């Protein structure tokens, strides 16, 4: 593997950054990611929001709220919405939230949803998938862009400006020192206050680095066209799983597949069955697709069953009431079956199934088609995902006897066109989903 480091010799201006920011690994510190020699991608003192809930793409909400019986509000949109990013409103009201909606033409607008709907910012055309930011207090608003006099009490909002070298179908991830992203030439780049470091990993243009803790990030590399499924936007997949230490500025794990590929945009960092690891979907033309769990050293720990050709849409990991399990959509374009996997005794085995769901449309790059959390305030976690028709979201609950049931549903009024998005509002949760007619938001007080 080739590794190159390019020192930037231009003079660097130190930028003072204040405010408490939630970092991608869930911890907090007293500053935003450092500004870089190439200029800021977001203002100082802000919190970031992702289509997959967080930078890991966990798709699990930490908060508790009853959206099943909560109030529903509709955001009117210009054009068909494709991406949603949610923020808590200032004051963290259980019945208010802030949503950035990106339409199919790439133009983004942000609305405050509470006692009615209020437009607070228009952002123009943005890079997708989007990363949103929101000022965490009134002082940080001095650095914000595209705000009006009416949105002051909601906190200024925006969308992260992509670095010029960013690959077309990925997004940058904030680190403690700066930003980490996949460049258009396949390199993984870490931009920070002292310059930049790049790693020649030959990443696909949709690969996304994800934090695994301790300043380390996992990412896919080794772009290859040897698996021609093409379900996720193109026929280029990854053949390498890497972990990069941004403090030591080196690759610490580089695991390659000889015949198979990693079908997806990023591994999912997980804690399951006593193992800290990276959950992936591995596929090839001969055997088909299956789940595979690696430990953080890049060693395979378990592989799930194979059912022939067709994607395994790995959704999230949570305690759904029957122990900590992986929720997966088996062949979302063909079988349309939810599976729950448990990792124990060194095996990934299926514990329950339920047919009739579709979390992804063929050729789409929107993979965040499900959400998990305690969404009816009953003390257990539900999996919320679209039925096969994609016109309704079902909440699926697991039982200790390895069965499942749909306990309630949310009508969409049309076919789902966006990710299923959610945000913890402080004393509740909010869930949003878009169709060609607009975006519906459900608020659930805790």
């Amino acid at each position: 593997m080739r590794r190159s480091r390019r020192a930037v010799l231009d003079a660097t201006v130190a930028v003072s950054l204040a405010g408490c920011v939630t970092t991608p690994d869930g911890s907090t510190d007293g500053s935003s990611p450092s500004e870089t020699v190439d200029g800021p991608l977001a203002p100082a003192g802000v919190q970031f929001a992702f289509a997959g809930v967080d930078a890991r793409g966990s798709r699990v909400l930490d908060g508790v709220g009853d959206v099943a019986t909560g109030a529903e509000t509709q955001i009117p949109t210009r054009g068909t919405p494709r991406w949603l990013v949610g923020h808590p409103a200032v004051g963290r009201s259980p019945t208010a939230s802030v949503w950035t909606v990106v339409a199919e033409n790439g133009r983004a607008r942000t609305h405050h949803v509470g006692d009615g709907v209020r437009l607070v910012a228009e952002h123009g055309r943005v890079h997708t998938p989007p990363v949103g930011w929101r000022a965490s207090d009134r002082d940080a608003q001095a650095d914000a862009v595209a705000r009006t006099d009416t949105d002051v009490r909601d906190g200024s909002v925006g969308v992260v400006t992509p670095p010029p070298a960013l690959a077309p179908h990925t997004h940058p991830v904030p680190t403690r020192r700066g930003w980490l992203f996949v460049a258009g030439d396949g390199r993984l780049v870490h931009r920070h206050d002292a310059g930049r470091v790049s790693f020649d990993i030959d990443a696909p243009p949709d690969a996304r680095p994800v934090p695994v803790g301790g300043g380390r990030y996992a990412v896919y590399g080794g772009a290859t066209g040897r698996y021609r499924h093409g379900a996720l936007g193109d026929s280029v997949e990854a053949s390498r799983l890497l972990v990069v230490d941004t403090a030591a500025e080196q690759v610490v794990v580089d695991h390659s597949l000889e015949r198979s590929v990693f079908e997806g945009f990023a591994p999912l960092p997980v804690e399951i069955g006593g193992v800290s690891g990276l959950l992936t979907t591995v596929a090839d033309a001969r055997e088909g697709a299956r789940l595979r769990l690696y430990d953080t050293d890049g060693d395979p720990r378990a592989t799930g069953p194979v059912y022939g050709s067709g994607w395994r849409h790995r959704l999230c990991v949570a305690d759904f009431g029957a122990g900590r399990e992986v929720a997966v959509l088996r062949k979302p374009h063909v079988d349309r079956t939810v599976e729950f996997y448990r990792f124990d005794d060194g095996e990934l085995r299926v514990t329950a199934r339920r047919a009739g769901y579709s979390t992804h449309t063929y050729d789409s790059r929107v993979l965040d088609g499900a959400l998990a959390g305690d969404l009816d305030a009953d003390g257990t976690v539900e999996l919320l995902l679209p039925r096969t028709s994609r016109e309704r979201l079902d909440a699926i609950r697991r039982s200790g006897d390895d069965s499942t049931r749909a306990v309630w549903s949310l009508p969409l009024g049309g076919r789902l066109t966006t990710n299923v998005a959610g945000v913890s509002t402080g004393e509740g949760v909010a869930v949003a989903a878009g169709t060609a007619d607009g975006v519906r938001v459900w608020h659930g007080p805790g």
Side-chain angles (χ1 to χ4, degrees):
M1 184 204 72
R2 293 175 297 162
R3 173 181 179 273
S4 65
R5 175 172 179 171
R6 295 182 296 174
V8 178
L9 303 179
D10 296 338
T12 302
V13 179
V15 179
S16 175
L17 302 170
C20 184
V21 166
T22 301
T23 57
D25 60 5
S27 62
T28 59
D29 60 18
S31 67
S32 295
S34 299
E35 303 293 357
T36 72
V37 293
D38 297 303
L41 305 188
V46 299
Q47 296 175 327
F48 298 101
F50 299 81
V53 176
D54 56 31
R56 296 168 298 170
S58 68
R59 306 186 184 109
V60 179
L61 288 180
D62 291 332
V64 175
D66 186 6
V67 300
T69 60
E72 176 189 327
T73 305
Q74 186 160 350
I75 302 174
T77 57
R78 294 178 180 174
T80 301
R82 289 289 183 232
W83 300 92
L84 306 176
V85 174
H87 306 269
V90 165
R92 295 185 176 272
S93 166
T95 57
S97 55
V98 178
W99 296 92
T100 297
V101 181
V102 184
E104 60 185 350
N105 62 5
R107 295 190 173 276
R109 307 169 85 208
T110 296
H111 299 80
H112 176 270
V113 179
D115 184 12
V117 178
R118 178 163 52 84
L119 177 68
V120 297
E122 296 201 41
H123 312 287
R125 194 177 300 276
V126 302
H127 183 89
T128 58
V131 177
W133 58 257
R134 172 189 168 276
S136 55
D137 54 44
R138 295 171 76 95
D139 293 337
Q141 292 177 29
D143 292 321
V145 299
R147 69 179 187 271
T148 69
D149 292 339
T150 61
D151 72 336
V152 173
R153 57 181 179 157
D154 300 321
S156 296
V157 291
V159 179
V160 169
T161 302
L166 185 69
H169 304 297
T170 183
H171 61 67
V173 174
T175 70
R176 291 187 182 276
R177 299 179 62 197
W179 295 87
L180 189 69
F181 62 90
V182 169
D185 61 2
R187 294 175 182 268
L188 181 68
V189 178
H190 189 206
R191 268 179 42 173
H192 49 75
D193 50 358
R196 71 173 68 207
V197 175
S198 66
F199 305 91
D200 189 2
I201 66 170
D202 192 23
D206 48 20
R208 306 168 190 175
V210 292
V212 296
R216 294 188 173 192
Y217 294 77
V219 65
Y220 287 149
T224 177
R226 66 190 178 209
Y227 183 63
R228 308 295 293 178
H229 189 199
L232 310 184
D234 58 37
S235 296
V236 178
E237 306 297 345
S239 62
R240 293 163 62 189
L241 172 63
L242 302 103
V243 176
V244 174
D245 188 321
T246 58
E249 296 181 343
Q250 62 181 4
V251 173
V252 294
V253 171
D254 190 352
H255 175 81
S256 295
L257 301 176
E258 293 184 1
R259 187 183 71 246
S260 305
V261 300
F262 294 106
E263 192 173 15
F265 299 158
L268 177 65
V270 298
E271 296 282 344
I272 189 169
V275 172
S276 296
L278 298 168
L279 194 61
T280 68
T281 297
V282 174
D284 61 64
R286 181 184 304 176
E287 296 182 357
R290 58 275 195 195
L291 291 191
R292 182 171 294 165
L293 176 66
Y294 292 84
D295 62 27
T296 51
D297 291 326
D299 296 322
R301 294 296 300 269
T303 299
V306 179
Y307 301 108
S309 62
W311 186 39
R312 300 295 178 277
H313 190 182
R314 179 212 61 216
L315 301 175
C316 56
V317 176
D319 186 344
F320 293 98
R324 198 160 176 80
E325 294 180 316
V326 185
V328 176
L329 207 298
R330 188 184 80 204
K331 302 183 182 181
H333 320 117
V334 181
D335 287 356
R336 301 181 176 94
T337 298
V338 179
E339 294 183 325
F340 292 88
Y341 285 67
R342 193 172 300 153
F343 175 65
D344 53 21
D345 296 329
E347 295 184 357
L348 273 172
R349 60 184 182 86
V350 178
T351 57
R353 298 182 178 89
R354 187 175 187 84
Y357 298 94
S358 180
T359 52
H360 179 259
T361 57
Y362 198 90
D363 200 37
S364 171
R365 297 186 188 274
V366 180
L367 304 192
D368 300 302
L371 189 70
D374 185 356
L375 304 177
D376 54 14
D378 70 337
T380 60
V381 173
E382 292 81 32
L383 178 66
L384 187 67
L385 75 171
R387 292 183 181 177
T388 298
S389 67
R390 295 177 63 81
E391 295 180 349
R392 183 177 294 269
L393 302 179
D394 270 7
I396 296 178
R397 185 176 298 156
R398 288 278 289 110
S399 300
D401 60 357
D402 289 345
S403 65
T404 65
R405 61 192 180 103
V407 289
W408 45 268
S409 62
L410 300 174
L412 299 179
R415 290 180 62 83
L416 179 69
T417 61
T418 67
N419 53 306
V420 178
V423 63
S424 298
T425 59
E427 297 182 3
V429 297
V431 170
T435 70
D437 294 329
V439 174
R440 280 175 163 79
V441 179
W442 294 267
H443 283 112

